[in-house]
Amino acid sequence: DTAVSQTPKYLVTQMGNDKSIKCEQNLGHDTMYWYKQDSKKFLKIMFSYNNKELIINETVPNRFSPKSPDKAHLNLHINSLELGDSAVYFCASSQNPRTDTQYFGPGTRLTVL
Amino acid sequence: AQKVTQAQTEISVVEKEDVTLDCVYETRDTTYYLFWYKQPPSGELVFLIRRNSFDEQNEISGRYSWNFQKSTSSFNFTITASQVVDSAVYFCALSEHIGGADGLTFGKGTHLIIQP
């Protein structure tokens, strides 16, 4: 059974489009996250959600918006895509946001043309 | 602000050699958590270990071992008798107990290449 899943695995789109990436976890965790990994493999936190409440927004453009319909899902919506948004986006989940292990999804490779 | 430094960008060794990956961190907090993750060529992030700041005992898991030295703010990772399957990018990460950031702060990663 997949603990943290993301769809799609690959996403290729044109500049200016709006796209969404879905994430689901079946671990019963209270907190979910989105990370961005750039072309140099650097991983950076974008958002975290705890019990449907946004906890952190780390200098991310407001074109990016997380939406959590329930505790098991945290989707990432991106408006007006730019070339610089090309990256791998990872979803993760954990129980406690500051102390517990975060488990990651397989990643979504976004390519903006 | 918290910070994680992995000074070794890339390490290449021959199979069966031992190899140590360095991690140095900075934090203002007395309670914090350190992690290592592995990212193989397939791209997923695999959790390896979690260590809290109060537990300085070294940990061994098979061929993997971790040396946590609070005095030098280091959390190094050693692979004994390396194998080709160990080839991956390894990330050290830090989570503080207090502060505004609830996500992990990652180092830039060490690309480990094990040659047959």
mmCIF file of all heavy atoms in Angstrom, chain B residues 91-116:
data_model
loop_
_atom_site.group_PDB
_atom_site.id
_atom_site.type_symbol
_atom_site.label_atom_id
_atom_site.label_comp_id
_atom_site.label_asym_id
_atom_site.label_seq_id
_atom_site.Cartn_x
_atom_site.Cartn_y
_atom_site.Cartn_z
ATOM 1 N N PHE B 91 20.593 13.274 1.731
ATOM 2 C CA PHE B 91 20.282 14.573 2.318
ATOM 3 C C PHE B 91 20.223 14.477 3.829
ATOM 4 O O PHE B 91 19.605 13.570 4.384
ATOM 5 C CB PHE B 91 18.916 15.066 1.827
ATOM 6 C CG PHE B 91 18.867 15.408 0.367
ATOM 7 C CD1 PHE B 91 18.398 14.487 -0.559
ATOM 8 C CD2 PHE B 91 19.291 16.652 -0.081
ATOM 9 C CE1 PHE B 91 18.343 14.794 -1.909
ATOM 10 C CE2 PHE B 91 19.238 16.972 -1.428
ATOM 11 C CZ PHE B 91 18.776 16.037 -2.343
ATOM 12 N N CYS B 92 20.844 15.448 4.464
ATOM 13 C CA CYS B 92 20.715 15.644 5.894
ATOM 14 C C CYS B 92 19.691 16.759 6.091
ATOM 15 O O CYS B 92 19.633 17.706 5.284
ATOM 16 C CB CYS B 92 22.081 16.045 6.458
ATOM 17 S SG CYS B 92 22.138 16.295 8.239
ATOM 18 N N ALA B 93 18.863 16.667 7.132
ATOM 19 C CA ALA B 93 17.823 17.678 7.330
ATOM 20 C C ALA B 93 17.636 17.946 8.822
ATOM 21 O O ALA B 93 17.943 17.103 9.671
ATOM 22 C CB ALA B 93 16.504 17.226 6.696
ATOM 23 N N LEU B 94 17.105 19.133 9.114
ATOM 24 C CA LEU B 94 16.938 19.598 10.491
ATOM 25 C C LEU B 94 15.522 20.115 10.702
ATOM 26 O O LEU B 94 14.968 20.806 9.840
ATOM 27 C CB LEU B 94 17.933 20.733 10.752
ATOM 28 C CG LEU B 94 17.807 21.560 12.029
ATOM 29 C CD1 LEU B 94 18.128 20.715 13.258
ATOM 30 C CD2 LEU B 94 18.711 22.785 11.978
ATOM 31 N N SER B 95 14.947 19.778 11.848
ATOM 32 C CA SER B 95 13.659 20.341 12.237
ATOM 33 C C SER B 95 13.792 20.859 13.657
ATOM 34 O O SER B 95 14.227 20.131 14.546
ATOM 35 C CB SER B 95 12.568 19.270 12.177
ATOM 36 O OG SER B 95 11.332 19.793 12.611
ATOM 37 N N GLU B 96 13.423 22.122 13.856
ATOM 38 C CA GLU B 96 13.501 22.699 15.180
ATOM 39 C C GLU B 96 12.180 22.543 15.910
ATOM 40 O O GLU B 96 11.125 22.469 15.281
ATOM 41 C CB GLU B 96 13.854 24.194 15.094
ATOM 42 C CG GLU B 96 15.296 24.461 14.723
ATOM 43 C CD GLU B 96 15.607 25.947 14.725
ATOM 44 O OE1 GLU B 96 14.777 26.712 14.215
ATOM 45 O OE2 GLU B 96 16.662 26.330 15.231
ATOM 46 N N HIS B 97 12.260 22.556 17.251
ATOM 47 C CA HIS B 97 11.061 22.402 18.055
ATOM 48 C C HIS B 97 10.269 23.695 18.127
ATOM 49 O O HIS B 97 9.061 23.694 18.227
ATOM 50 C CB HIS B 97 11.441 21.953 19.462
ATOM 51 C CG HIS B 97 10.264 21.672 20.338
ATOM 52 N ND1 HIS B 97 9.339 20.692 20.054
ATOM 53 C CD2 HIS B 97 9.836 22.245 21.485
ATOM 54 C CE1 HIS B 97 8.422 20.666 20.997
ATOM 55 N NE2 HIS B 97 8.702 21.596 21.865
ATOM 56 N N ILE B 98 10.973 24.799 18.070
ATOM 57 C CA ILE B 98 10.292 26.088 18.125
ATOM 58 C C ILE B 98 10.640 26.884 16.882
ATOM 59 O O ILE B 98 11.487 26.519 16.099
ATOM 60 C CB ILE B 98 10.699 26.909 19.375
ATOM 61 C CG1 ILE B 98 12.220 27.162 19.357
ATOM 62 C CG2 ILE B 98 10.275 26.191 20.621
ATOM 63 C CD1 ILE B 98 12.655 28.126 20.428
ATOM 64 N N GLY B 99 9.979 27.989 16.751
ATOM 65 C CA GLY B 99 10.278 28.817 15.583
ATOM 66 C C GLY B 99 9.164 28.764 14.580
ATOM 67 O O GLY B 99 8.245 27.975 14.672
ATOM 68 N N GLY B 100 9.265 29.606 13.608
ATOM 69 C CA GLY B 100 8.171 29.711 12.646
ATOM 70 C C GLY B 100 8.159 28.636 11.594
ATOM 71 O O GLY B 100 7.138 28.396 10.968
ATOM 72 N N ALA B 101 9.249 27.965 11.398
ATOM 73 C CA ALA B 101 9.316 26.997 10.301
ATOM 74 C C ALA B 101 8.872 25.620 10.777
ATOM 75 O O ALA B 101 9.397 25.086 11.739
ATOM 76 C CB ALA B 101 10.732 26.920 9.760
ATOM 77 N N ASP B 102 7.896 25.050 10.121
ATOM 78 C CA ASP B 102 7.459 23.712 10.478
ATOM 79 C C ASP B 102 7.920 22.655 9.502
ATOM 80 O O ASP B 102 7.614 21.492 9.675
ATOM 81 C CB ASP B 102 5.931 23.669 10.562
ATOM 82 C CG ASP B 102 5.463 24.205 11.896
ATOM 83 O OD1 ASP B 102 6.257 24.220 12.835
ATOM 84 O OD2 ASP B 102 4.300 24.607 11.980
ATOM 85 N N GLY B 103 8.600 23.067 8.470
ATOM 86 C CA GLY B 103 9.111 22.099 7.523
ATOM 87 C C GLY B 103 10.557 21.782 7.831
ATOM 88 O O GLY B 103 11.182 22.380 8.693
ATOM 89 N N LEU B 104 11.072 20.790 7.120
ATOM 90 C CA LEU B 104 12.466 20.421 7.256
ATOM 91 C C LEU B 104 13.345 21.403 6.489
ATOM 92 O O LEU B 104 12.986 21.856 5.403
ATOM 93 C CB LEU B 104 12.697 19.023 6.691
ATOM 94 C CG LEU B 104 12.021 17.870 7.434
ATOM 95 C CD1 LEU B 104 12.174 16.576 6.649
ATOM 96 C CD2 LEU B 104 12.601 17.720 8.829
ATOM 97 N N THR B 105 14.507 21.701 7.091
ATOM 98 C CA THR B 105 15.545 22.441 6.376
ATOM 99 C C THR B 105 16.564 21.414 5.906
ATOM 100 O O THR B 105 17.174 20.717 6.723
ATOM 101 C CB THR B 105 16.221 23.471 7.285
ATOM 102 O OG1 THR B 105 15.254 24.439 7.684
ATOM 103 C CG2 THR B 105 17.353 24.168 6.542
ATOM 104 N N PHE B 106 16.736 21.333 4.605
ATOM 105 C CA PHE B 106 17.629 20.333 4.024
ATOM 106 C C PHE B 106 18.990 20.920 3.697
ATOM 107 O O PHE B 106 19.110 22.102 3.353
ATOM 108 C CB PHE B 106 17.033 19.790 2.713
ATOM 109 C CG PHE B 106 15.942 18.777 2.900
ATOM 110 C CD1 PHE B 106 14.626 19.169 3.032
ATOM 111 C CD2 PHE B 106 16.237 17.421 2.933
ATOM 112 C CE1 PHE B 106 13.610 18.235 3.196
ATOM 113 C CE2 PHE B 106 15.232 16.475 3.090
ATOM 114 C CZ PHE B 106 13.920 16.889 3.232
ATOM 115 N N GLY B 107 20.023 20.065 3.785
ATOM 116 C CA GLY B 107 21.305 20.398 3.188
ATOM 117 C C GLY B 107 21.208 20.245 1.679
ATOM 118 O O GLY B 107 20.174 19.802 1.161
ATOM 119 N N LYS B 108 22.269 20.606 0.993
ATOM 120 C CA LYS B 108 22.237 20.556 -0.466
ATOM 121 C C LYS B 108 22.456 19.159 -1.021
ATOM 122 O O LYS B 108 22.381 18.950 -2.231
ATOM 123 C CB LYS B 108 23.265 21.522 -1.037
ATOM 124 C CG LYS B 108 22.902 22.977 -0.758
ATOM 125 C CD LYS B 108 23.783 23.950 -1.499
ATOM 126 C CE LYS B 108 23.288 25.376 -1.253
ATOM 127 N NZ LYS B 108 24.099 26.377 -1.978
ATOM 128 N N GLY B 109 22.747 18.207 -0.138
ATOM 129 C CA GLY B 109 22.877 16.830 -0.574
ATOM 130 C C GLY B 109 24.295 16.456 -0.975
ATOM 131 O O GLY B 109 25.089 17.292 -1.414
ATOM 132 N N THR B 110 24.612 15.183 -0.786
ATOM 133 C CA THR B 110 25.892 14.622 -1.243
ATOM 134 C C THR B 110 25.585 13.514 -2.233
ATOM 135 O O THR B 110 24.853 12.567 -1.898
ATOM 136 C CB THR B 110 26.699 14.048 -0.075
ATOM 137 O OG1 THR B 110 27.048 15.094 0.825
ATOM 138 C CG2 THR B 110 27.972 13.367 -0.594
ATOM 139 N N HIS B 111 26.118 13.654 -3.430
ATOM 140 C CA HIS B 111 25.920 12.632 -4.466
ATOM 141 C C HIS B 111 26.981 11.566 -4.281
ATOM 142 O O HIS B 111 28.176 11.819 -4.454
ATOM 143 C CB HIS B 111 26.013 13.269 -5.850
ATOM 144 C CG HIS B 111 25.711 12.310 -6.949
ATOM 145 N ND1 HIS B 111 26.062 12.560 -8.268
ATOM 146 C CD2 HIS B 111 25.082 11.113 -6.957
ATOM 147 C CE1 HIS B 111 25.669 11.540 -9.020
ATOM 148 N NE2 HIS B 111 25.065 10.653 -8.242
ATOM 149 N N LEU B 112 26.537 10.384 -3.891
ATOM 150 C CA LEU B 112 27.448 9.277 -3.639
ATOM 151 C C LEU B 112 27.441 8.328 -4.835
ATOM 152 O O LEU B 112 26.385 7.830 -5.234
ATOM 153 C CB LEU B 112 27.033 8.522 -2.371
ATOM 154 C CG LEU B 112 27.870 7.293 -2.006
ATOM 155 C CD1 LEU B 112 29.312 7.684 -1.732
ATOM 156 C CD2 LEU B 112 27.266 6.577 -0.799
ATOM 157 N N ILE B 113 28.607 8.091 -5.369
ATOM 158 C CA ILE B 113 28.748 7.177 -6.513
ATOM 159 C C ILE B 113 29.592 6.004 -6.067
ATOM 160 O O ILE B 113 30.739 6.176 -5.625
ATOM 161 C CB ILE B 113 29.423 7.882 -7.702
ATOM 162 C CG1 ILE B 113 28.594 9.095 -8.126
ATOM 163 C CG2 ILE B 113 29.600 6.920 -8.875
ATOM 164 C CD1 ILE B 113 29.320 10.027 -9.085
ATOM 165 N N ILE B 114 29.019 4.821 -6.171
ATOM 166 C CA ILE B 114 29.744 3.604 -5.832
ATOM 167 C C ILE B 114 30.078 2.879 -7.132
ATOM 168 O O ILE B 114 29.183 2.428 -7.856
ATOM 169 C CB ILE B 114 28.925 2.669 -4.922
ATOM 170 C CG1 ILE B 114 28.361 3.443 -3.723
ATOM 171 C CG2 ILE B 114 29.774 1.486 -4.471
ATOM 172 C CD1 ILE B 114 29.399 4.012 -2.797
ATOM 173 N N GLN B 115 31.345 2.783 -7.416
ATOM 174 C CA GLN B 115 31.772 2.137 -8.668
ATOM 175 C C GLN B 115 32.018 0.655 -8.444
ATOM 176 O O GLN B 115 32.586 0.262 -7.433
ATOM 177 C CB GLN B 115 33.036 2.817 -9.173
ATOM 178 C CG GLN B 115 32.843 4.303 -9.466
ATOM 179 C CD GLN B 115 34.115 4.962 -9.948
ATOM 180 O OE1 GLN B 115 35.013 4.273 -10.431
ATOM 181 N NE2 GLN B 115 34.194 6.261 -9.844
ATOM 182 N N PRO B 116 31.596 -0.156 -9.388
ATOM 183 C CA PRO B 116 31.797 -1.607 -9.219
ATOM 184 C C PRO B 116 33.260 -2.003 -9.378
ATOM 185 O O PRO B 116 34.058 -1.246 -9.902
ATOM 186 C CB PRO B 116 30.946 -2.208 -10.350
ATOM 187 C CG PRO B 116 30.792 -1.131 -11.347
ATOM 188 C CD PRO B 116 30.854 0.184 -10.613
#
